[in-house]
Amino acid sequence: MSATDFDSTTSSAGQADTETRPVPFRGGGFKPIDIRFVGLGVFVVLIAFWEWGSRSGFISSLVLPAPSEAFEAFMDLARSGDLGRHLAASLRRLVIGFVCGTTLGLIVGMLIGLNSIARAGLAPLVSAIFPIPKIALLPLFIIWFGIGEGSKVATILFGSFFPTVIATYSGIDGVDRTLIRMGQSFGLGRMAIIRKIVFPATLPAILSGMRISASISIILLVAAEMIGAEYGIGAYVLLAGNLMSTDQLIAGVAMLSILGLIVNFLISRAEKYLLSWRS
Amino acid sequence: MQLRVQSLSHYYGPLEILSDINFTIGEGEIVCVIGPSGCGKSTLLRMLGGLEQPTSGQILEVGRPPEGSLNPLTYVFQDFALLPWRTVHGNISLVLEGHGLDKADIDARIADVLERTRLSDFVNAIPKQLSGGMKQRVAIARALAVDPAVLLMDEPLSALDSQTRELLMADLIGLWTRERFAACYITHNLNEAVRLGHHVVVLSRRPGKIREIVQIDIPLEDRDMSDPKMAKLQQDLWNMMREEALDADRELTT
Ligand SMILES: Nc1ncnc2c1ncn2[C@@H]1O[C@H](COP(=O)(O)OP(=O)(O)OP(=O)(O)O)[C@@H](O)[C@H]1O
Ligand SMILES: [Mg+2]
């Protein structure tokens, strides 16, 4: 090979070792991009298929009622006026339990994150109690807080408390220490550092913890409402199950899943709004 | 106000990091500190500003800080340390809040300091919108906003590319000629040291001892790298550093 081979590609075109081709692309991917309406499309297609299957007899109505039947059951519920009562009862429990659980969780998580004594004392306790399914404790909660609202709110409260604690203090552990040192170097007080540096820096972790604790709260809400509740989506689903009226059951379950979607949507909005500074 | 380091030594556990350091940062004077990696320069700077305590020896403030100084010893960090969720304005106001200044006063100070660092157009930008050089300019503006007596800078330009570094260097020299701040400037870059330093403290490899303090008498604004005197200075520093750097390079860092 002579040195001139480097700049003689045109003259030797046609030869196998000098053919030109673009460098194949092999990057990209691994980066979620927002594609709208695909999720919605999947839902619509699935439900349409289901409806078609039920009508054509491909899916027996004994096995699974058609979406239209479930919707009819939902409309019945709305017309009877019970829908509002069920929703109001469930939402009240959910909101009170979740707000109290998250608030307490934030406080305890902050304590553990910022104070070594609190960490030494409480972190093992949190780790010990977190994995216990709170549903298993429901009978205890009933004895302690009564069969009424108390035990139901308590279940949700405990369920959302622990994930929030863990998300908060691990978030604090992950705060960039150079920012804290910067605060100290400018003479900011401890409270100012916590309020203006540590807390905002922990917010991403807190919000993603909230996503989890919100879902846990909805699961626990239904479980708790299955015992001794007159109204509530859980009670409605339980009754439907006992009566084997699967159309009502599907209607109830769909309400839960929509509730979950709404909560998720709200948290996403909060993230977009509060965390727009993230790169 | 002067800052005096007196027979300072420091250990991390059994490991001696700094050994018997003595020097003074005079009023309006820039002291550059150079030395091989791991010799304790950052540690020394943390002690100068009271973020860490030396094992023995002390650091003394000599004289009163200037009237109205909110934070006499003020850092400029290598990685900027800007709060990503605050705007340029918010990042500067962060260090002005809590001093009992009213809002108009804070805004006036911020406007003034942004003017001095030519950042006025970026008041409402957040850090992710700024280039590295811009971020460091904001950090310098933030440091100036509290009217420091001594600026403590740990390799403030080393996270930047060389062109940006050159621009910021010129900015720093310009700023100093107007404001005559005192500073301790840590760097790996000998060129920065000879262009900015009134004194250059050369540390040996770990444990860091003072190997030499080189005084440079040429006024900052007249320093020109094509001047053979400057080139010679840099060469001398390099000869001093070379052997230390070679040895330090061969040692295991623990
Ligand atoms: N908190 C610490 N605990 C124990 N050892 C430390 C600590 N901080 C630094 N060291 C050690 O002290 C030595 C000096 O560190 P320092 O960061 O001050 O060096 P440096 O001169 O700034 O180095 P570089 O030029 O790489 O920035 C290093 O060997 C480092 O490993
Ligand atoms: Mg360092």
Side-chain angles (χ1 to χ4, degrees):
Chain A
M1 261 222 186
S2 72
T4 53
D5 279 359
F6 283 108
D7 44 34
S8 62
T9 41
T10 39
S11 63
S12 55
Q15 256 171 270
D17 60 339
T18 51
E19 68 179 306
T20 58
R21 72 196 86 79
V23 172
F25 175 67
R26 47 190 174 165
F30 297 102
K31 193 179 166 223
I33 32 178
D34 248 350
I35 307 179
R36 282 162 164 254
F37 307 122
V38 174
L40 193 66
V42 170
F43 272 110
V44 170
V45 168
L46 213 61
I47 290 173
F49 172 75
W50 175 6
E51 182 71 37
W52 168 80
S54 300
R55 292 207 180 169
S56 66
F58 169 66
I59 302 171
S60 148
S61 69
L62 274 179
V63 178
L64 202 60
S68 54
E69 288 171 49
F71 186 71
E72 200 41 50
F74 175 79
M75 290 313 290
D76 277 344
L77 185 68
R79 277 191 290 268
S80 74
D82 276 349
L83 177 66
R85 263 173 289 229
H86 286 304
L87 278 180
S90 284
L91 282 179
R92 199 176 64 231
R93 291 168 190 141
L94 189 67
V95 169
I96 297 176
F98 179 72
V99 168
C100 294
T102 309
T103 312
L104 290 174
L106 269 175
I107 294 170
V108 174
M110 282 281 183
L111 260 179
I112 293 180
L114 295 167
N115 181 300
S116 302
I117 299 176
R119 172 176 304 236
L122 295 177
L125 195 66
V126 169
S127 309
I129 303 179
F130 179 43
I132 301 175
K134 305 302 171 291
I135 302 170
L137 297 178
L138 188 56
L140 274 181
F141 290 154
I142 291 176
I143 296 171
W144 295 346
F145 305 109
I147 186 100
E149 294 305 300
S151 59
K152 296 176 184 61
V153 169
T155 314
I156 297 167
L157 190 153
F158 275 85
S160 52
F161 172 78
F162 290 98
T164 310
V165 173
I166 291 175
T168 307
Y169 82 70
S170 9
I172 292 180
D173 291 350
V175 176
D176 187 352
R177 296 293 126 169
T178 58
L179 294 182
I180 295 178
R181 182 160 304 145
M182 182 275 293
Q184 291 173 325
S185 80
F186 277 97
L188 269 66
R190 190 173 158 81
M191 270 326 284
I193 289 179
I194 292 173
R195 216 158 41 80
K196 295 173 182 168
I197 299 177
V198 176
F199 182 72
T202 313
L203 213 51
I206 294 175
L207 283 176
S208 63
M210 235 177 227
R211 243 179 229 285
I212 296 170
S213 59
S215 303
I216 292 180
S217 296
I218 295 175
I219 295 171
L220 290 176
L221 166 75
V222 177
E225 283 178 345
M226 287 187 162
I227 298 176
E230 192 186 349
Y231 288 108
I233 303 176
Y236 175 72
V237 170
L238 181 74
L239 186 67
N242 288 345
L243 299 174
M244 279 299 180
S245 52
T246 46
D247 51 347
Q248 289 184 353
L249 187 114
I250 297 288
V253 169
M255 278 191 268
L256 289 172
S257 115
I258 289 169
L259 184 62
L261 282 175
I262 292 173
V263 170
N264 218 344
F265 172 77
L266 291 178
I267 294 177
S268 295
R269 288 313 291 263
E271 279 184 343
K272 271 224 176 75
Y273 177 71
L274 293 172
L275 307 180
S276 57
W277 48 270
R278 281 197 296 192
S279 42
Chain B
M1 189 183 96
Q2 301 187 341
L3 201 59
R4 183 176 303 158
V5 183
Q6 231 167 38
S7 49
L8 178 145
S9 299
H10 191 68
Y11 289 81
Y12 280 125
L15 197 65
E16 187 173 29
I17 305 292
L18 290 163
S19 163
D20 194 30
I21 306 288
N22 290 284
F23 67 91
T24 301
I25 302 167
E27 231 147 293
E29 183 185 78
I30 300 181
V31 172
C32 291
V33 178
I34 59 174
S37 196
C39 74
K41 302 182 294 295
S42 300
T43 310
L44 175 65
L45 199 73
R46 284 202 296 277
M47 292 172 184
L48 281 178
L51 290 178
E52 208 168 316
Q53 287 189 306
T55 312
S56 68
Q58 52 190 347
I59 290 155
L60 302 169
E61 296 179 9
V62 184
R64 301 247 116 238
E67 197 64 36
S69 173
L70 300 178
N71 191 50
L73 304 175
T74 297
Y75 285 91
V76 174
F77 296 90
Q78 178 177 359
D79 50 5
F80 326 128
L82 299 175
L83 302 184
W85 54 87
R86 286 197 177 215
T87 60
V88 168
H89 183 280
N91 265 289
I92 301 175
S93 80
L94 174 82
V95 301
L96 297 173
E97 294 158 9
H99 289 284
L101 302 173
D102 57 42
K103 199 180 166 307
D105 202 357
I106 288 181
D107 285 344
R109 269 179 184 253
I110 294 173
D112 170 55
V113 89
L114 290 179
E115 180 80 50
R116 275 148 68 196
T117 46
R118 288 178 287 131
L119 283 169
S120 302
D121 293 342
F122 299 90
V123 213
N124 293 317
I126 63 172
K128 77 167 175 187
Q129 301 171 307
L130 300 173
S131 67
M134 276 304 179
K135 283 184 203 160
Q136 195 57 296
R137 280 203 183 86
V138 174
I140 291 170
R142 175 179 65 185
L144 293 174
V146 293
D147 278 336
V150 184
L151 277 180
L152 305 171
M153 307 200 255
D154 191 352
E155 309 191 31
L157 308 186
S158 61
L160 308 173
D161 63 86
S162 57
Q163 294 92 315
T164 314
R165 204 180 301 170
E166 203 50 47
L167 292 175
L168 255 121
M169 212 38 208
D171 277 9
L172 274 178
I173 294 170
L175 251 154
W176 185 85
T177 47
R178 275 178 279 130
E179 323 219 343
R180 307 270 154 170
F181 52 83
C184 182
Y185 187 102
I186 286 182
T187 180
H188 268 128
N189 187 317
L190 303 183
N191 180 263
E192 284 173 22
V194 294
R195 284 171 67 188
L196 271 182
H198 296 97
H199 289 99
V200 181
V201 175
V202 185
L203 293 182
S204 68
R205 68 178 187 280
R206 206 180 65 214
K209 292 191 195 66
I210 292 190
R211 202 188 140 122
E212 199 159 328
I213 298 182
V214 179
Q215 188 170 345
I216 306 178
D217 289 324
I218 313 168
L220 240 59
E221 52 274 32
D222 299 341
R223 292 185 189 179
D224 182 350
M225 284 325 283
S226 57
D227 182 351
K229 241 162 73 191
M230 293 290 286
K232 171 147 187 346
L233 266 168
Q234 193 176 333
Q235 188 59 44
D236 289 348
L237 287 179
W238 169 236
N239 290 340
M240 253 180 262
M241 290 284 299
R242 192 183 148 78
E243 171 195 330
E244 298 286 347
L246 271 175
D247 288 340
D249 202 38
R250 286 198 202 98
E251 277 167 11
L252 284 176
T253 13
T254 41

